[in-house]
Amino acid sequence: MTQTEESELRDTIEQYRNARLTRRDFVQRAAVLGISASVAASILAACGGGGGGGGTTTGEEGQPVQGGVLRMGYDRAFQKLDNVVGPWADEPFTAIYEVPIIRDPGGKFVSSVAEAWEFSSDGLTLSMKIREGLKFHSGAPLTAANVAEDFNIFRTTGVTANFWAPVKNVEEGENNSVVLTLSKTNYGLIETISTLFQSIHNEASRKAAGEGWGATTVDATGPFTLKTFKPASEVVVERWPDYPGSGVPFVTNKGPAYLDSIRWVPILEPANRANEIETGSVDIVKSPAAQDISRLQSNDDLVVLELQELSNYFITIDRTRGALGQPGVAQAMSHAIDRQALVDTVFFGHAVPTYGPIFPAYRWYDPGVEAYNEYDPDKARDLLKSAGLSELRFTLLTQNQPIQVQVLEAVGGMLREVGITMEVKAVEDAAFFPDMFAGKPDAFMFKWLWESPTDNMRFFGRVPSWDYNGNPPKSMAGIDAWESAATEEQLEKACRQVQLAWAEELPFIPLVTQSLVWVHHKRVHNFRPTQTSIYPLFNDVWIEA
Amino acid sequence: MIRFVLSRGIRAALIFVVASVAVCYGLRVAPGSLADIVTNPLNRAFAVKDLEERLGLDEPVIVQYFVFVRNIMGGDFGVSFISNRSVTEIIATGGLNTLKLGGAAAILTYFISVPLGIMAAARRNSVIDQGSMLIAVLGMAIPNFFLAILLVRLFAVELRWLPAAGQGGIKHLILPAVVLAAEAIAINLRLVRASVLEQLSRDYIRTLRAKGASERRVVWIHAFRNALPPVITFGGVMLRTLLGYTLVVEVIFRYPGLGFELVDSVLKRDYAVAQALALVFIAGVVLFNFLADLGHHLAEPRIRERGAAG
Amino acid sequence: MVTPTTGRDLATVGGPGRGPLLEISHLSVRLRMRSGPITVVDDVSLEIGSGEILGLVGESGCGKSMTALAIMRLLPEAAEIAGGSVLLDGEDLVRTKPERMRQIRGAEVAMVFQEPMTSLDPAFTVGHQVVEAVRAHEKVSRAVSLRRAEESFERVGIPKPRERFDAYPHQLSGGLCQRVMLAMALVTSPRLLIADEPTTALDVTIQAQILELIKQLRTELNLSVLWISHDFGVVSEIADRVAVMYAGEIVEIGETSHMLGAPRHRYTRALIDSIPGRGEPRSLLRTIPGQVPDPGARPAGCRFSPRCDAPVSECELIHPELRAERDASSFRCHNPVA
Ligand SMILES: Nc1ncnc2c1ncn2[C@@H]1O[C@H](COP(=O)(O)OP(=O)(O)OP(=O)(O)O)[C@@H](O)[C@H]1O
Ligand SMILES: [Mg+2]
């Protein structure tokens, strides 16, 4: 961001605060200033403004105090905190682990364990310089050799090993660096390297811990160490007094963490989350029930932060099935859907419509997508007519979860308006996934949730075993471009290309992106979730005694 | 008496064997698999394959069953693949918590429903009777999760008298115990009332009154004593139901008992934990049935007589 | 020892202490039914002298038990005393306070019931139940009440009382249970015993023993007894006087021997005729044709008229009044047996 950009932005922020611009207005105005929606969103988060409500500010003022226990209500049951083969990365990951590279609030890749990185001019070699003087919780020093060892584990046995496919070789380089050799240009590898499943750990400790890794033992580099792991009831981490300090530029506390410990408890029932923060049995909760949000916003003791979740609800139709494959059918469906109405009714306003494959807060979001899929039932009818269809009928498979079912009820009604009959079959996950992966249904709805939105397009856009989507040419060309981008500029270009192509061809039909809502008590300070990571960092967080 | 205990013991053992097969088999062939815990499609394949290998889930179910039985016989319930805690430890800590909660709920149930039920029966159609029947109707009609939300809003959020969730002292037990007990109170209230009422219409009650026994004695000692067998028999059913409800209530109140652990382990396909906890629950059910039988046996002199004779 | 009071004129009854032990006047009992109230005991007047055994006889459903329960104020919930008085030694039981009534029950008026097996609490030992009867009225130690119970058991002819104490009712025979009931009734030395068909459920030999026992106790304890039965034969063996009840009202009352020899009411005669081994030899067991009318559907005139073997014209229209005879017996009939 340049100096001028920053000052103009400041003004807009002022306006937002004083004149109470709505969030949407703010983001739009910021976009006019050439500021990406993600930056705007993270600023909004910092302002503590959520969806035009609350308007309270996170107390940045005041001197941080050392000590205290932060009690976090988590919206899921915990899985093992295993960075290599763990099935899910839960919140404590960002307290006990550090990733090599991290996205800043604006989405830019910045240093963490790696202090610098560079692609060779041909784009086939990536060297990463590892910070000096780092060590693991166990006291063992951390060098480039450890990182190289970890990378080799990640690309062979890690859960995201398939994204490492372009990497031919990883070895320790000179000067505390790691050198990755690629078989083809793939700047997007940075996306992968900055996800939580590439968190750096001490492989020797992991080997020794065996099954206990992530449960009884974690030996990594984050500012907290694992104390208790009782996944059904609590996960507790404690300050690591010997933490050498964060290498992340947007973390201001360069020493050990302020908090003595953080205790997570799972609050699985959405209706209970608001209750628990209101009664003070936790200091922070995530994802309260939508109907509770406005009540929480009007509570003077609480701060409600609202971000766009790194997710998207979408519908995919199988274009190999008769009428569903007619040109224009997906577009007709898309035009028939009033996304804003979905946002207002199903999500109580705590969501945004998505007209392209990525949510608007993404740094490379291209607003051009919005022109493609506007709500226009007449156009939908015309499209169906020119496809030679007087009526269209299909069955859609979905997970049997309340939100999913509600979204589809609304969508079903909208489609009926233009003469499309969608029968919804809601099943348990156990039945959903096998059928979906086997390509059994005419259509399905799913919500992806992942730090790298483009990965989802790569995954859901073309999985060879599915005959879905008919490989729409422009979209697939965009993905090819993404996968072979050699520089960040090329990556951004590919990203915009793929978004526009996607919005036009609709390999899947995007619907809405839900808000990610965090609520914290005012005595918690510097709690700053960003729009670009799924979890916040905890080193700056402090709590009033 | 010994014969009674022995025959029930053998029956319980049989139920247990069948249950162990059902649990082991059921968990594995039930729709769904380890894949369900890996909700992120991007990393499914790897994680699942890896987990299955490590947990021996690639073996045939029969083999898995015998490994399971052999381990149990050796007192080894295994280790949670999620938390790496020994299942024995999970059962011990969770069991103690559930025992506290269940105990509190049972105490609440009886201390409310028995006196109220007797009073309602003794003063039929009085305000007490109508009030207690209202409680009974509400207790049966309101689903416990809904009651939980109502109570939490009122007592935790609005009045701030009690914590909304979690584990700690007696205060943390009150709301979950009330929610857990609500239906049992309702059913038991009706049962006590109906049973006492039935006894009050018996001939011997007239005899008691004819000999000048006080009304209090007639109702609270004689009618109640005779009204007990169905209440005790139902007690077993009730404890069993309470045990089942802990699954819901513990999750809602984030109370780390066996129910919470069981739900969690089943959702995560943590087979070792889920199997062992399911067996603990079955053992609980068998035990409560046995206690109900035994209670009925001891409460009813005529049955006791027959049991001793044949 | 008091001689059985016989042939006393209702009009000559004096004040408290000098009059009969129990004096029932114009007692009515009503049942609250959904269709409206029904009178099941209709203007009944009776008296029982000290040491007297009064038999109350009538077919099933005629209101005998209701009368007895009204005296005890133990009517079922649906029933209520609609009028009249029950004077026990001058004290009106109909109007006395509940707590006082409780004190009277058992202590002054005791009652035994028809079904000995179900009339004892199945959950307590018989010893306990008898002791309880003592302690309901007297603050005595457990030991004393046990001794009293033991004596009472012996009195009613239960051998080895202590060994029976720990038995539960279901472990005893019907006869033994009825003796326990009697022991329980008598343990507090009441002045009046109401026996509502206490022998009906028992076999003939046991029945005879019990009857013998009652007679003996009457003499020993100067006990007054209201003996209820539907069997005139049984009543005739034990009662000094007999009151015959039909459809809620007394139809004839008089001295037993008198009545046996010369019944006036045709219903009484029919009852006597149906005593096994009596009446005309050719019809050893004559039953009365027809049925007792439902309390809700009683004939307007004589309630017995539809079943009567010699009705006259008034019978259907005019409800006969109770007519007192010179010998202090009375009956309710337009066409009495000569
Ligand atoms: N609880 C009750 N509810 C309704 N009707 C009743 C009830 N108890 C008695 N009755 C009726 O009251 C009338 C008198 O009954 P009661 O028991 O006094 O007759 P009883 O002469 O004692 O007959 P039994 O020889 O069968 O004992 C009968 O018609 C009977 O049907
Ligand atoms: Mg009777």
Side-chain angles (χ1 to χ4, degrees):
Chain A
M1 217 187 291
T2 67
Q3 287 290 304
T4 34
E5 268 176 0
E6 269 188 29
S7 66
E8 280 178 57
L9 189 59
R10 288 255 143 71
D11 292 346
T12 315
I13 294 168
E14 255 345 278
Q15 278 184 21
Y16 170 75
R17 278 184 171 164
N18 300 333
R20 291 249 193 280
L21 289 180
T22 65
R23 178 189 177 77
R24 202 178 161 77
D25 290 341
F26 177 81
V27 174
Q28 272 170 3
R29 213 172 286 195
V32 173
L33 288 173
I35 284 133
S36 73
S38 61
V39 178
S42 58
I43 291 161
L44 287 190
C47 292
T56 46
T57 58
T58 320
E60 302 292 328
E61 64 290 327
Q63 270 304 304
V65 222
Q66 181 105 5
V69 180
L70 183 69
R71 297 160 309 161
M72 307 272 298
Y74 188 46
D75 61 344
R76 296 174 53 97
F78 289 97
Q79 301 288 344
K80 210 183 263 197
L81 301 167
D82 181 339
N83 62 327
V84 178
V85 292
W88 191 263
D90 288 313
E91 264 174 40
F93 258 60
T94 55
I96 52 178
Y97 287 110
E98 288 176 323
V99 285
I101 299 172
I102 197 167
R103 292 176 183 81
D104 75 2
K108 233 175 77 193
F109 294 113
V110 295
S111 64
S112 180
V113 171
E115 67 182 19
W117 58 94
E118 181 173 46
F119 277 94
S120 60
S121 51
D122 62 0
L124 294 177
T125 309
L126 169 62
S127 342
M128 292 172 65
K129 170 89 174 72
I130 304 305
R131 279 177 67 204
E132 303 287 345
L134 294 186
K135 55 182 178 174
F136 293 109
H137 297 153
S138 59
L142 183 159
T143 65
N146 297 103
V147 178
E149 191 180 15
D150 283 2
F151 281 3
N152 277 318
I153 300 282
F154 297 150
R155 76 192 182 93
T156 50
T157 53
V159 286
T160 49
N162 45 350
F163 290 126
W164 285 80
V167 177
K168 269 198 318 210
N169 188 44
V170 179
E171 57 190 24
E172 187 185 357
E174 288 171 4
N175 223 347
N176 205 25
S177 72
V178 181
V179 179
L180 292 83
T181 315
L182 282 67
S183 55
K184 60 181 186 102
T185 53
N186 186 344
Y187 191 86
L189 185 62
I190 302 285
E191 287 263 341
T192 301
I193 290 179
S194 58
T195 60
L196 293 173
F197 282 111
Q198 334 304 324
S199 295
I200 299 305
H201 69 273
N202 184 352
E203 180 60 18
S205 301
R206 190 178 85 101
K207 278 212 183 72
E211 294 293 309
W213 182 253
T216 51
T217 311
V218 170
D219 189 13
T221 66
F224 293 86
T225 57
L226 181 62
K227 168 93 185 310
T228 317
F229 180 74
K230 291 184 189 163
S233 51
E234 62 170 6
V235 174
V236 182
V237 299
E238 276 182 335
R239 176 177 47 232
W240 179 30
D242 299 335
Y243 181 55
S246 175
V248 176
F250 59 92
V251 170
T252 44
N253 172 20
K254 296 299 177 192
Y258 298 126
L259 296 167
D260 284 343
S261 67
I262 310 174
R263 177 168 180 262
W264 279 270
V265 291
I267 309 178
L268 303 183
E269 172 57 47
N272 279 353
R273 294 176 193 143
N275 290 338
E276 293 215 25
I277 188 133
E278 283 175 296
T279 55
S281 67
V282 291
D283 302 309
I284 299 178
V285 288
K286 189 176 153 185
S287 313
Q291 64 271 22
D292 293 332
I293 294 175
S294 59
R295 191 180 81 230
L296 295 170
Q297 281 169 337
S298 63
N299 185 329
D300 288 340
D301 295 332
L302 303 177
V303 178
V304 177
L305 306 174
E306 187 166 353
L307 301 166
Q308 287 172 27
E309 191 177 64
L310 301 170
S311 74
N312 186 241
Y313 283 98
F314 65 88
I315 286 177
T316 293
I317 56 172
D318 182 350
R319 298 181 192 217
T320 64
R321 301 201 187 193
L324 286 174
Q326 292 293 319
V329 166
Q331 284 73 12
M333 285 171 62
S334 186
H335 282 299
I337 296 169
D338 184 351
R339 293 169 170 81
Q340 189 60 46
L342 288 180
V343 167
D344 295 340
T345 55
V346 180
F347 296 93
F348 294 81
H350 301 288
V352 289
T354 49
Y355 299 94
I358 306 181
F359 48 86
Y362 187 58
R363 64 168 168 160
W364 291 333
Y365 175 71
D366 196 321
V369 296
E370 289 166 22
Y372 286 95
N373 295 294
E374 275 168 351
Y375 174 53
D376 188 348
D378 290 332
K379 195 164 181 184
R381 285 189 203 96
D382 289 347
L383 281 166
L384 284 178
K385 203 182 284 167
S386 41
L389 297 171
S390 54
E391 64 149 19
L392 176 61
R393 180 179 283 275
F394 67 95
T395 308
L396 178 138
L397 190 72
T398 183
Q399 289 155 291
N400 190 10
Q401 287 164 15
I403 292 276
Q404 260 87 341
V405 172
Q406 285 170 36
V407 166
L408 287 167
E409 267 171 15
V411 168
M414 294 165 184
L415 293 181
R416 217 166 15 250
E417 289 292 305
V418 301
I420 300 174
T421 311
M422 177 175 78
E423 266 171 49
V424 174
K425 199 173 140 204
V427 297
E428 298 309 314
D429 286 7
F432 178 80
F433 284 107
D435 281 6
M436 179 188 88
F437 279 97
K440 281 196 190 147
D442 294 343
F444 67 85
M445 184 172 85
F446 191 67
K447 174 180 125 170
W448 61 255
L449 172 65
W450 190 243
E451 289 184 298
S452 170
T454 37
D455 283 349
N456 291 283
M457 288 185 276
R458 293 156 76 188
F459 192 74
F460 285 104
R462 56 165 186 216
V463 169
S465 66
W466 308 353
D467 279 324
Y468 283 86
N469 311 327
N471 291 344
K474 288 197 230 167
S475 305
M476 296 309 126
I479 284 179
D480 286 341
W482 170 274
E483 286 181 345
S484 58
T487 63
E488 190 159 343
E489 290 72 37
Q490 286 177 20
L491 200 64
E492 177 175 356
K493 205 166 145 252
C495 180
R496 291 181 187 278
Q497 180 190 345
V498 77
Q499 284 179 68
L500 292 171
W502 205 283
E504 185 186 342
E505 294 175 341
L506 296 173
F508 61 64
I509 302 167
L511 298 173
V512 293
T513 287
Q514 206 174 340
S515 293
L516 172 59
V517 176
W518 293 89
V519 186
H520 70 80
H521 199 277
K522 277 214 179 127
R523 63 178 171 265
V524 177
H525 296 267
N526 285 353
F527 180 75
R528 285 176 298 210
T530 72
Q531 178 60 61
T532 53
S533 300
I534 54 175
Y535 305 131
L537 298 177
F538 291 96
N539 210 38
D540 283 336
V541 180
W542 58 277
I543 187 164
E544 286 169 36
Chain B
M1 188 65 202
I2 292 171
R3 266 183 73 158
F4 174 82
V5 172
L6 216 65
S7 73
R8 294 304 150 106
I10 291 169
R11 200 201 292 179
L14 276 174
I15 290 176
F16 221 69
V17 171
V18 174
S20 72
V21 174
V23 162
C24 183
Y25 189 72
L27 270 175
R28 285 169 173 82
V29 300
S33 68
L34 272 181
D36 292 350
I37 62 170
V38 190
T39 44
N40 193 326
L42 293 172
N43 60 25
R44 288 175 89 242
F46 287 91
V48 172
K49 201 167 129 271
D50 183 69
L51 279 176
E52 284 186 347
E53 271 173 26
R54 282 191 298 156
L55 299 175
L57 297 176
D58 40 358
E59 304 276 353
V61 178
I62 296 268
V63 175
Q64 292 184 44
Y65 176 71
F66 283 108
V67 170
F68 169 58
V69 170
R70 191 190 61 204
N71 290 344
I72 286 190
M73 293 299 181
D76 172 16
F77 284 97
V79 171
S80 158
F81 89 84
I82 306 259
S83 69
N84 226 48
R85 289 161 75 210
S86 86
V87 174
T88 322
E89 184 201 326
I90 292 176
I91 292 175
T93 52
L96 192 66
N97 286 336
T98 295
L99 219 57
K100 278 189 208 158
L101 178 59
I107 288 172
L108 212 60
T109 301
Y110 286 110
F111 273 59
I112 291 176
S113 64
V114 168
L116 212 55
I118 295 176
M119 281 196 288
R123 303 191 194 167
R124 201 139 55 105
N125 298 327
S126 67
V127 178
I128 292 185
D129 188 23
Q130 279 160 4
S132 65
M133 283 307 99
L134 185 71
I135 292 177
V137 167
L138 289 181
M140 308 250 278
I142 301 180
N144 50 19
F145 64 87
F146 185 64
L147 181 66
I149 291 168
L150 284 183
L151 293 184
V152 165
R153 278 237 55 88
L154 181 61
F155 292 104
V157 180
E158 304 294 340
L159 299 172
R160 304 219 166 195
W161 290 348
L162 296 166
Q167 184 206 9
I170 300 271
K171 274 190 151 188
H172 285 84
L173 271 180
I174 296 175
L175 288 182
V178 168
V179 171
L180 192 56
E183 196 184 290
I185 290 175
I187 295 176
N188 225 45
L189 193 55
R190 280 167 169 258
L191 187 71
V192 170
R193 178 181 176 271
S195 187
V196 170
L197 266 183
E198 197 212 316
Q199 292 302 324
L200 283 175
S201 70
R202 291 280 169 89
D203 288 350
Y204 72 85
I205 293 291
R206 207 177 45 193
T207 311
L208 283 162
R209 290 185 175 139
K211 74 185 180 191
S214 68
E215 200 53 28
R216 210 180 305 150
R217 244 190 117 70
V218 169
V219 173
W220 290 84
I221 295 186
H222 291 270
F224 174 55
R225 174 68 185 74
N226 283 284
L228 267 182
V231 177
I232 291 175
T233 309
F234 178 71
V237 178
M238 199 198 65
L239 287 175
R240 202 178 61 193
T241 315
L242 283 188
L243 193 65
Y245 284 160
T246 57
L247 297 181
V248 178
V249 173
E250 289 184 354
V251 171
I252 293 179
F253 285 98
R254 201 161 44 67
Y255 185 85
L258 289 181
F260 196 0
E261 299 278 0
L262 177 59
V263 169
D264 192 59
S265 58
V266 170
L267 288 180
K268 289 183 194 147
R269 306 259 152 195
D270 195 346
Y271 289 108
V273 182
Q275 267 167 190
L277 289 181
L279 284 184
V280 168
F281 270 75
I282 290 161
V285 169
V286 170
L287 179 73
F288 291 144
N289 279 346
F290 171 75
L291 288 180
D293 278 356
L294 191 69
H296 188 67
H297 189 79
L298 294 177
E300 185 92 83
R302 261 164 301 184
I303 294 179
R304 187 163 65 208
E305 201 70 2
R306 234 171 280 144
Chain C
M1 205 97 335
V2 173
T3 28
T5 341
T6 57
R8 198 183 322 176
D9 193 336
L10 272 175
T12 63
V13 169
R18 287 192 54 241
L21 175 66
L22 186 80
E23 189 181 350
I24 303 173
S25 324
H26 309 291
L27 179 69
S28 291
V29 174
R30 235 179 4 212
L31 267 175
R32 280 179 304 248
M33 304 292 275
R34 222 165 293 147
S35 49
I38 290 174
T39 306
V40 288
V41 175
D42 196 354
D43 197 24
V44 166
S45 298
L46 285 174
E47 59 186 61
I48 304 174
S50 188
E52 182 189 22
I53 301 182
L54 175 71
L56 183 60
V57 73
E59 282 171 292
S60 192
C62 68
K64 307 181 297 289
S65 296
M66 285 292 170
T67 309
L69 292 172
I71 298 170
M72 294 294 278
R73 291 258 304 272
L74 286 176
L75 286 169
E77 240 173 87
E80 64 186 357
I81 296 175
S85 62
V86 177
L87 300 185
L88 179 74
D89 233 354
E91 182 178 3
D92 189 354
L93 303 188
V94 172
R95 280 156 196 97
T96 194
K97 289 205 176 75
E99 174 54 22
R100 170 68 191 139
M101 195 59 225
R102 187 195 67 73
Q103 288 168 2
I104 291 170
R105 282 189 214 119
E108 298 187 34
V109 186
M111 188 162 175
V112 290
F113 299 93
Q114 177 170 348
E115 287 290 339
M117 303 292 278
T118 59
S119 292
L120 286 166
D121 186 336
F124 290 84
T125 61
V126 295
H128 180 277
Q129 294 184 56
V130 177
V131 165
E132 194 178 21
V134 179
R135 303 184 88 179
H137 301 287
E138 296 164 53
K139 285 198 159 61
V140 291
S141 70
R142 208 182 140 65
V144 171
S145 52
L146 268 172
R147 203 171 55 242
R148 293 269 296 279
E150 197 176 351
E151 284 164 18
S152 194
F153 266 49
E154 272 166 358
R155 189 182 304 134
V156 300
I158 300 176
K160 299 191 204 142
R162 289 275 173 174
E163 284 168 34
R164 299 289 183 192
F165 272 12
D166 292 334
Y168 285 90
H170 68 270
Q171 293 168 321
L172 303 179
S173 68
L176 218 47
C177 275
Q178 199 54 282
R179 280 176 202 263
V180 169
M181 288 286 289
L182 268 174
M184 197 160 78
L186 298 175
V187 71
T188 46
S189 317
R191 289 189 286 166
L192 173 65
L193 174 70
I194 301 175
D196 189 357
E197 313 212 24
T199 59
T200 311
L202 307 178
D203 69 53
V204 190
T205 32
I206 310 284
Q207 180 177 315
Q209 287 172 15
I210 301 256
L211 290 180
E212 215 37 58
L213 180 65
I214 296 283
K215 279 196 252 183
Q216 188 192 327
L217 291 172
R218 181 262 296 267
T219 5
E220 273 176 27
L221 306 174
N222 189 28
L223 187 67
S224 305
V225 179
L226 175 62
W227 186 274
I228 297 174
S229 178
H230 60 266
D231 183 346
F232 210 114
V234 173
V235 172
S236 65
E237 277 178 47
I238 191 168
D240 305 313
R241 285 192 306 134
V242 179
V244 179
M245 215 173 166
Y246 185 79
E249 57 189 10
I250 303 289
V251 293
E252 182 161 5
I253 186 162
E255 225 173 297
T256 314
S257 50
H258 242 94
M259 209 185 278
L260 274 176
R264 304 302 308 276
H265 199 284
R266 291 186 180 271
Y267 177 60
T268 313
R269 195 179 69 178
L271 281 179
I272 292 169
D273 284 350
S274 62
I275 300 172
R278 264 190 88 94
E280 295 96 75
R282 57 185 157 80
S283 60
L284 239 78
L285 255 176
R286 237 168 63 175
T287 51
I288 311 167
Q291 276 178 337
V292 183
D294 227 37
R298 288 174 182 145
C302 172
R303 293 178 184 172
F304 186 64
S305 60
R307 303 170 73 189
C308 189
D309 52 7
V312 292
S313 53
E314 297 113 292
C315 295
E316 244 180 82
L317 300 168
I318 303 164
H319 185 235
E321 292 302 313
L322 203 57
R323 257 198 268 165
E325 292 288 277
R326 278 176 319 281
D327 59 0
S329 69
S330 30
F331 62 90
R332 205 188 273 277
C333 187
H334 293 303
N335 184 23
V337 185

